[in-house]
Amino acid sequence: MEKLFCKLHVEVKHLNKLGAADVLQITEHSLQSHEFYSEEELIQTFIQKLLMMNYRARYIKTKETNKQDQTQQTDNDLSEEETDIFDDVFGNISPSDKASSQSDPVHPMDVQMAVFHCADGFLKQLMVTKLSQCQYALPLLVPDPFTQQIEFPLWTFRQINKSWKMRNTNNETISQTQPVYKAETPMVCFFRFGSVSSSKSQLMNSLINEKHNTFFHRNCPGSSRTRELMDGVVEIAWYCPSGKNTDKFTDCVAFCNLHGDAGKHEKQLQILTEMASVNVVLLPKLDKYDRNASIIKNLYKDKKLLICLFTEDKSTVIEMKKRKFRIGLKGRNQSDVSEELRRVINACLLESSSTFRLEDVSKRSDIRVDEEDDDDCRRGREAAHQMMSLLGNKDLTEIKESFLPHQGKLWHQWCQKNKELHRPREKTEMEISRKNIEIRHQQHEFHISDFIKCFIKEMNSYDQHQKMFFLKWLRILLDEHTSADLSALHHKYDVKWSTVLQLKEKHDKSEQLKTEQTKLERISEELQAAAFGLEHIMREIGQIYESCSSVKKNKKDLQFDLSSLPSLAAEMMISGFPLELMDGDAAHIPVIWISAVLDQLIQKLGDQRVFVLSVLGLQSSGKSTMLNAMFGLQFAVSAGRCTRGAFMQLVRVSDEMKTQLNFDYILVVDTEGLCASELAGRSTRHHDNELATFVVGLANLTLINIFGENLAEMQDILQIVVQAFLRMKKVKLNPSCVFVHQNVSDITAGEKNMEGRRRLQEKLDEMTKLSAEEEVCEAECFSDVIKFDVQNDVKYFAPLWEGNPPMAPPNPKYCENIQELKKTIISHASKSHRMSLTHLKDHIKDLWEALLKEQFVFSFGKSLETAAHRKLKNEYSKWSWSLQSAMLEIENKLQNEIKNEAIHEVEETYLQRELNKTSKKVKKSMSEFFEKDAYAEILIQWKTSFEAKIKELQGNIVRETKGKLNEILQHRDLKKKNEERKQLENTLIEKSKELALKLKDKANDVETLKKEFDLIWENSVKKIITHTDILNDVTQESSKNCTKQDVKESTLTPEDEAQIRSFVKDVVHKTVTMIQSFKISEKGYNIKYIQQLACNIKKSVKEHQKKCEKYEFQEEFFVDLVYFICNRANKIFIYQHRLFREARDPDLYTEKREEYYSIFQKHYHGATWIVRFGEIICQKLKGLSEQSVYKNTARELTDEMRSNCESLNGSRSNLEKHILKTLAEEEDFDKYMNYIHKPRDHFKSFIRDEVSRYITDQFSVNVLPKMKENIELLQQKIMKAAHQSTEHVQVNSGDVGLWLKSFTQQLSDEPIFSEKDLSGVKHDDVDFKLLEDVIQQELPAVMSEISSRFNRKSFPVNLDYKFRPDELLIDHFCQCCWVQCPFCKATCTNDTENHEGDHSVPLHRVTGIDGLHFTDTVNLCADICTNLLASDLNFNTPCGWSNFRDYRRAGGVYADWSITPDLSELPYWKWFVCRFQKDLEKYYNKTFDGQGQIPYEWRTYSKQDAIDSLHKLYLGSGH
């Protein structure tokens, strides 16, 4: 046993562990088709073929068998020359004996049973269901391969239904469909004793279906002598009659087959013989005393019918006694025996009244039942039964109305009104909107039924595995509950439909036809009401969610959080259940529900990439069957019904294939049939067009499923499909399609197929011309509409069944066609644009909303264009930042080299060359984006302009950087003046050294040493000690800049005070920025800085004064303001000036006295000069190293924030989205006014706040570690430079000068060291190795000291202004257009300042926000610009009155704006107006009354609605 599992590469510990999810994913193996497979591939291959319903899954050829056959053939070829004919013919060693000496191949049934033993409960059920579809016998009793305990896998039969037809006494055909576990049928049991020459299984096949091996037998392909896992297994199959005279049995009959010697499997034998109606036993010639003889005797004595088949007997049928028969098999024709046996069995069954029911097997106590043994399965069954008990005995047509009220008439009314809302006629939009809100409130008032409450409770109580069992059980029990009534209704519908057709054929226009059609529609309505499956439960939950979301409140009787509802649906999708995308009864997409489910899916899986595959076709053309066979799916269809609406299901892609295909899932969308006869009143041409347009627009690839080859019958569906693709072309989407011709009798005839393709192409071209006229566009042939290859994109499928149902198995050729189509789909997918789940969610919403409108092409085209442009702007932001970031790095490197005098000029060509490395990557990224993005066709219109923008940006960056670096080169010369300071510093060191030598052995006490040192110190520095009193300068300058001015007395209102506070805050921000730009740490403090500040503040005060007529500032205000601002900035002045003095001014040497005294002491105490020289170098490195660390950290932080900070990681539009979100969350009216009237300042302020918050929040976990990492890297670099300099000097026999030169050159790109830093220091003979050791010993302490000063407060202060993250990001985001709409203050969204062409914005605001009001009234306007432009109203300008329709004629700012109709009206600004109505009225001293009354529905928007709507507007602008 272990050897078999080892051969199949199965570990025993993995038994019962293989899940359905493991085998249903798209793998490389699942796409392959070979003639031979290795033994380790057998299990995988068997499963893949079985999932496709390919009954040849049992006939897999192995490579090992093929090699043996080839070896045997080679041996035979050699033997011709080496042996004579006698040996070959009569010799003892035959080729078969030679072959038998080699290992036997794995038996096909061992492969099947190995899969069965490996599978978990769900995969076993799927496997047995597929075996049943293949018309194969199913495992009924299965011994454990290791313990031999017998299991009855009842769970595996739960999804199998059998259909058959019988004739009653009146010769009428009666149809029956029953779950096999419920079906009560006679059972015929076959078994054998001992070894027999005839094949029992083959004989059974001849009784059931001569053309198909229902039971595997010894003569089947691939059979081998050894069989490990089948002995003791009992298989069962059902014969289902078709109601024809050719039926072999007139009723459904179960046939059981006990494999192996029955004498060795007594328990199985006992169970079967007790339950069978007829026992058939195959016997060899038995001895009277054989151990099996007693069993035969007991069977003979039993009253049950017994048929004995003797393999060594030649006799025909003999009735030994009543109900006991014998038939001989030896030397007899197989068909004769079968006919006799069938006749005898039929006769026996007429006499017998006993029946067998599968479920009854579970009542036996001596066997294990899988359902009872699995706790999760048992609990799931109990919960499902509890739910079903709640339905009671209600009539099926009343169940939905009672238990699922939310999806009833009110939902259908809402759907109808929603369509009217998008296509207003006589009724105004406001009336329809109010009615819809009213309907939602009524819907919300429904109580949640106990049935749904129980469902939600159970789903929230279990883990994933338990939920699966519960859902499977519920689906099984619901189908069982509805199948009988639905079957009867369908029969009733078919009869009535036939009557209507007959009357139509007679051209009967009497009242009878109308009456019959009315009856037909009534039956249709009953069918719709009676359908009740898992999809209806989920639809009800969806409507509960939608009603709660629409009225903004939870239900009192909903015991769980509202968000748990879409979470349940998302978990079901992940587990392999389909989700209803379009409600098939209402013909509507519940967008709120679908969006919420997809949001939860994103939350659970991440924003996965999907390839969308949809299918379109006529009703009952085999669409669902094809998808189920292709992907092993089980699309949820209620018992006895066709698919209604549209369902979507996820198919996972294996990890190995994800890298090849670049997507994670295939989203399969199954749809209802087009041109459906069912519910004819609803299935209009308009609905079909709507459905086709939706699924074609949603999918990357659509399968057009056509049943048969009759082009006349195809015409309707082809025109619908062509029109859908034509609409996609008009909105610049490029989906693909593949035509599938089902049920083509001779698919091998090449000439016939070529002719079929030609006729299809002609018909498609004809339909294209017709549709082009209807859609008013130019297209002559189908290839003008989409890329279509008639050779490769048309597939011909063999008929599904090999023979006539219900006993026909699926056609293997059909399964091969499925496999080929699957490969074609994956080939398309690998070249297609895939979309993220977020994109899919928005795509569904946009597509459906556009379909609801009459002008689909305009509406959806505008939506797509807006989304594409936003996506482009987001990408442009990334490209421009890549260039700017790269140039910052280049600039920083060159600045350091300039400061260290490594370079003396900067050429533009060098900067261009350095930037080209990044530029090439950007160009490649741009090229790929414009060519490969899903919106490529739309994006192409902007390709040239954006390429020019990037080129212009690159030129600007290079020129600006060159200018900055040249300025630094000029300033470098000024630094030479500071060499005197360095000389003095180094002289101090030399004097310390000389004094130490002079006092050596003369002064023994510390006091004398200190006194002598202080004397030399004071003499060296006293000449240039200075003092700076900044606040004194402030007082003088502020009074100088003040002039007397009249003061207008007035009382300030709260609004005035708020305005002044905002003004002061703005001036403070600008002043801090200005102080940073002075670079005091590099240039030192100068009173002119205070003068500039005072002038700047004065200028700001005057500008503000001009705008405000209500009040004037007194001179004291100006003085106080200057003093207040400078007092706050005093710390920055002092700190920056201290840095300057520390690096340059001797007056700060008092603070360094201890450092120099330490050097003096070391000289005195005899430390070697080389040690002191090393210490001096380390001290010189200290200050500039700190600056280098700050600069590098700041640059890294900026890049990090561009990646990690949500508000800063996209385009300017993404930043604006976060600004608006923050404003809504804070609900601060003053900040809103600042944003509306000073958008650029608000953006800058927001960026500074975001950067400050990020640094503060991340300082200890991210910023500080980064600084420490940078200082460590710098320390390593310095030590490496010291080591390499030592090696360089030793190789070149150099002196100290060469060592210093080498050392500084290696550090030239860091602003830390220069040879001139040591000018004036005498260089004695140096031991370079010792110098290196000293640096390595002293440097860590220096760096540690720098590191100890790092803290949250000092970090922003110490940052170089030019490299501050907030300034870099402001520079990146704010170099764009800031012109505002003259009506509503919306800011132009163009990324370029002073751009060519008109200003524009995708969405305008409510004009009252800017104070626009109706003339001669105090009524603020509660309308949006675009609505005003469609009105006959006028507006006033400095040049007179103008009509809104011709606003450009007003000239000036109006002429520069292009204001086009909005895609939709954003709830955000409607909420804002309602929330701040009183504030706006107070601010402008006007009201929203009269003509400016705020519409009622605006007040239904919540703050959350406003925030959520931002995502819609700024889709593609960020994350």
Side-chain angles (χ1 to χ4, degrees), residues 125 128-129 132 138 140 152-164 177-185 236 238 252 254 275 355-363 369-371 381 384-385 388 472-484 639:
Q125 188 181 71
V128 170
T129 304
S132 174
L138 314 176
L140 176 67
F152 169 41
L154 175 57
W155 169 250
T156 65
F157 291 88
R158 291 291 183 183
Q159 286 189 322
I160 301 170
N161 292 309
K162 289 288 181 183
S163 298
W164 64 90
T177 299
Q178 286 189 33
V180 289
Y181 60 87
K182 286 281 183 190
E184 294 188 19
T185 65
I236 186 169
W238 285 264
C252 181
M275 302 189 83
T355 56
F356 158 80
R357 200 168 74 118
L358 197 65
E359 263 188 332
D360 293 341
V361 180
S362 64
K363 294 174 183 176
V369 182
D370 59 351
E371 288 180 358
R381 181 183 63 199
H385 273 295
M388 295 304 294
K472 291 264 188 184
W473 270 113
L474 187 58
R475 188 156 69 180
I476 289 163
L477 296 178
L478 281 170
D479 282 350
E480 183 186 318
H481 187 77
T482 59
S483 59

Side-chain angles (χ1 to χ4, degrees), residues 485-750:
D485 286 354
L486 277 173
S487 184
L489 279 169
H490 270 287
H491 178 71
K492 193 175 170 184
Y493 184 91
D494 290 341
V495 171
K496 191 58 64 182
W497 177 243
S498 299
T499 305
V500 170
L501 281 178
Q502 287 170 8
L503 289 170
K504 281 183 175 179
E505 284 170 6
K506 294 176 185 176
H507 302 288
D508 190 328
K509 296 184 179 178
S510 64
E511 285 297 315
Q512 186 187 357
L513 177 61
K514 290 181 181 177
T515 304
E516 294 298 327
Q517 283 180 322
T518 304
K519 288 179 181 176
L520 183 68
E521 285 180 20
R522 196 176 300 124
I523 298 168
S524 181
E525 287 171 7
E526 286 178 22
L527 264 172
Q528 185 177 341
F532 187 35
L534 200 54
E535 65 269 32
H536 298 98
I537 294 173
M538 294 312 298
R539 186 191 294 172
E540 180 73 2
I541 288 172
Q543 283 313 302
I544 290 169
Y545 181 85
E546 286 215 334
S547 65
C548 290
S549 299
S550 298
V551 302
K552 314 291 183 248
K553 59 181 177 182
N554 212 336
K555 279 183 172 283
K556 291 177 184 176
D557 50 353
L558 183 62
Q559 297 168 341
F560 296 92
D561 186 78
L562 191 63
S563 65
S564 68
L565 302 184
S567 179
L568 293 180
E571 285 172 8
M572 286 175 66
M573 278 194 79
I574 294 167
S575 299
F577 287 88
L579 177 73
E580 187 179 57
L581 177 59
M582 176 185 279
D583 183 330
D585 295 329
H588 207 90
I589 291 172
V591 173
I592 298 171
W593 168 244
I594 295 297
S595 297
V597 174
L598 289 173
D599 279 333
Q600 286 294 321
L601 206 58
I602 293 163
Q603 196 171 320
K604 293 173 190 297
L605 295 177
D607 202 2
Q608 300 288 287
R609 303 159 300 172
V610 293
F611 173 82
V612 183
L613 173 71
S614 66
V615 62
L616 277 174
L618 293 171
Q619 187 179 20
S620 301
S621 61
K623 300 182 300 297
S624 300
T625 304
M626 176 175 69
L627 293 175
N628 289 347
M630 197 181 314
F631 298 110
L633 305 177
Q634 291 175 294
F635 268 106
V637 179
S638 298
R641 290 187 58 234
C642 291
T643 305
R644 292 282 299 282
F647 289 84
M648 58 182 181
Q649 188 165 350
L650 288 170
V651 178
R652 191 157 62 94
V653 175
S654 67
D655 291 338
E656 58 173 335
M657 292 294 286
K658 282 178 185 177
T659 51
Q660 295 178 38
L661 299 175
N662 286 323
F663 58 85
D664 308 290
Y665 288 89
I666 294 178
L667 185 79
V668 183
V669 179
D670 188 20
T671 60
E672 69 178 68
L674 301 176
C675 310
S677 60
E678 189 180 312
L679 302 178
R682 182 183 63 79
S683 294
T684 60
R685 172 68 183 269
H686 175 76
H687 169 70
D688 285 346
N689 277 339
E690 199 173 72
L691 179 66
T693 305
F694 179 74
V695 297
V696 165
L698 183 62
N700 299 99
L701 174 66
T702 303
L703 302 178
I704 313 298
N705 197 54
I706 300 168
F707 197 75
E709 297 176 277
N710 188 329
L711 285 174
E713 291 177 7
M714 286 184 218
Q715 181 153 333
D716 279 347
I717 183 176
L718 288 181
Q719 187 163 358
I720 291 165
V721 167
V722 169
Q723 192 163 351
F725 278 106
L726 201 58
R727 286 174 165 186
M728 293 308 111
K729 178 181 172 63
K730 288 177 78 175
V731 296
K732 297 180 180 176
L733 279 184
N734 289 311
S736 305
C737 74
V738 171
F739 285 86
V740 179
H741 283 274
Q742 299 253 18
N743 206 41
V744 178
S745 54
D746 184 11
I747 61 167
T748 57

Side-chain angles (χ1 to χ4, degrees), residues 895 899 1076 1079 1082 1190-1191 1194 1356-1364:
Q895 274 190 27
K899 288 177 182 177
Q1076 293 287 353
K1079 303 177 187 175
E1082 292 181 18
Y1190 273 106
K1191 191 177 286 188
V1357 179
N1358 293 349
L1359 283 176
D1360 188 312
Y1361 173 75
K1362 289 180 299 182
F1363 289 96
R1364 287 176 65 95

Side-chain angles (χ1 to χ4, degrees), residues 381-419:
R381 181 183 63 199
E382 288 166 1
H385 273 295
Q386 184 187 344
M387 278 195 67
M388 295 304 294
S389 68
L390 296 172
L391 298 178
N393 297 317
K394 268 197 180 292
D395 186 271
L396 199 57
T397 56
E398 297 173 6
I399 282 180
K400 282 205 288 197
E401 192 175 342
S402 302
F403 295 98
L404 311 175
H406 293 80
Q407 61 184 277
K409 290 178 182 175
L410 284 176
W411 162 235
H412 288 217
Q413 283 176 27
W414 187 92
C415 294
Q416 187 57 41
K417 290 291 176 190
N418 193 43
K419 287 183 178 178

Side-chain angles (χ1 to χ4, degrees), residues 839-857:
H839 185 187
L840 173 71
K841 179 188 74 172
D842 294 306
H843 192 55
I844 289 171
K845 189 176 180 182
D846 289 343
L847 189 56
W848 181 244
E849 285 188 356
L851 270 169
L852 291 176
K853 296 175 183 175
E854 289 179 323
Q855 291 183 309
F856 165 78
V857 171

Side-chain angles (χ1 to χ4, degrees), residues 870-881 884 1199-1218 1369 1372-1373 1391 1514 1516-1519:
R870 286 188 186 127
K871 194 172 184 181
L872 174 57
K873 288 205 294 184
N874 192 40
E875 291 300 312
Y876 175 77
S877 179
K878 292 176 186 174
W879 298 328
S880 61
W881 176 253
Q884 287 171 335
D1199 285 334
E1200 187 178 285
M1201 280 184 269
R1202 281 284 297 155
S1203 300
N1204 299 345
C1205 190
E1206 281 191 5
S1207 59
L1208 303 171
N1209 68 355
S1211 64
R1212 170 187 161 189
S1213 296
N1214 176 58
L1215 176 59
E1216 186 161 27
K1217 175 177 78 175
H1218 284 85
L1369 290 168
H1372 173 68
F1373 282 112
D1391 291 318
Y1514 296 103
S1517 61
H1519 301 279

Side-chain angles (χ1 to χ4, degrees), residues 1414 1417-1422 1477 1481 1487-1495:
F1414 292 95
T1417 75
V1418 289
N1419 297 333
L1420 288 166
C1421 183
Q1477 180 181 348
E1481 289 174 341
T1487 61
F1488 283 103
D1489 289 318
Q1491 287 176 283
Q1493 189 172 6
I1494 296 170

